[in-house]
Amino acid sequence: MSLLDAAREVREMAYVPYSRFKVGAAIRGASGAVYRGCNVENVAYPEGTCAEAGAIAAMVAAGETELIEVAVIADSPSPVPPCGGCRQKLAEFGNGHTPVLLATIDGATLATTVGELLPGRFDAGHMAKAE
Ligand code: THU
């Protein structure tokens, strides 16, 4: 199964009573294993979590901290762009060249990278003087 199909499949599990906007994300760890996440909303709206965050949590819980590929899918008019926070979360475990495939359920796709999604990102190098 492709990474995009894994994202498409897990999207169906999204818990979205408030936005009704289901998102699915799948990431491939350096081991080759695939981890999936869907968005999980909450009546206290800011407590909801994005699909990407769920997939990353599953990867880390399985003992992996490097991701090599990402796919995200939603029923949106154009390939769904990860929110700002998720861009930073993906950057934590990927690198500037890590491929990210954004998709709609109608078949439109946009291939990009973690670096293109978050230019100028904050990284550990910016804390060098704190050591
Ligand atoms: N959402 C994601 O899960 N990932 C994204 O990349 C964009 C937004 C979710 C959060 C919320 O449950 C719903 O989509 C509407 O913002």
Side-chain angles (χ1 to χ4, degrees):
M1 180 186 294
S2 73
L3 200 62
L4 186 54
D5 281 343
R8 191 190 316 276
E9 203 173 82
V10 72
R11 176 181 167 274
E12 295 300 328
M13 306 308 293
Y15 175 76
V16 291
Y18 308 106
S19 74
R20 306 270 171 206
F21 185 68
K22 293 182 172 184
V23 184
I27 59 180
R28 194 182 305 282
S31 73
V34 171
Y35 305 96
R36 304 166 176 212
C38 56
N39 49 338
V40 180
E41 298 184 343
N42 192 281
V43 65
Y45 294 174
E47 298 304 325
T49 51
C50 286
E52 297 89 330
I56 288 169
M59 179 186 76
V60 174
E64 289 206 61
T65 54
E66 187 186 345
L67 64 83
I68 60 168
E69 200 180 348
V70 182
V72 187
I73 190 167
D75 185 10
S76 53
S78 58
V80 62
C83 77
C86 283
R87 293 174 192 219
Q88 187 73 42
K89 289 181 179 75
L90 293 171
E92 180 76 16
F93 300 103
N95 63 51
H97 304 291
T98 304
V100 181
L101 185 63
L102 309 177
T104 73
I105 60 169
D106 295 329
T109 58
L110 175 67
T112 184
T113 63
V114 167
E116 283 177 357
L117 286 171
L118 195 60
R121 62 192 171 278
F122 176 73
D123 65 28
H126 294 106
M127 294 195 295
K129 288 184 116 180
E131 285 166 9

